[in-house]
Amino acid sequence: MAADDCLNEFQLEDDYLARGLREAHRRVRAMDLPREERTRLTHRLLAICNVAKQDMEHATARLDAFIAYLDGEADTASGRNASDGD
């Protein structure tokens, strides 16, 4: 039985974050990256997990930004670090 089989509709926000974090971890592990880059990305995921303990909404936003970064949809990790001219 897969872990997702036990989920129900009342866990939507928590599930979205949990599934997203799990998928992001899988993606980072599967990427062919230098050790330093993999470590940096793993630290970012751990920071998102830590934020989730206090503020799920903020953690979800950070996870969405992280996934956009992995997808190549953002120039920088937060999408806000680049100046207007970049």
Side-chain angles (χ1 to χ4, degrees):
M1 176 192 308
D4 293 344
D5 294 343
C6 300
L7 303 176
N8 62 48
E9 63 185 276
F10 299 108
Q11 301 167 315
L12 292 178
E13 184 179 346
D14 294 350
D15 292 344
Y16 175 80
L17 184 59
R19 288 178 182 163
L21 285 167
R22 184 176 56 212
E23 181 61 26
H25 276 283
R26 286 178 182 159
R27 288 181 62 184
V28 169
R29 276 195 316 267
M31 296 173 90
D32 185 24
L33 299 170
R35 184 177 186 176
E36 298 81 22
E37 179 69 6
R38 183 181 314 280
T39 299
R40 186 181 70 79
L41 293 175
T42 300
H43 284 195
R44 287 188 57 202
L45 281 168
L46 291 173
I48 294 169
C49 291
N50 198 34
V51 169
K53 296 174 189 176
Q54 303 299 320
D55 186 346
M56 299 249 326
E57 185 175 321
H58 183 66
T60 300
R62 287 185 63 179
L63 177 61
D64 289 342
F66 182 77
I67 291 171
Y69 175 78
L70 292 179
D71 290 342
E73 297 174 9
D75 293 317
T76 61
S78 70
R80 296 182 303 251
N81 295 335
S83 66
D84 292 335
D86 287 7

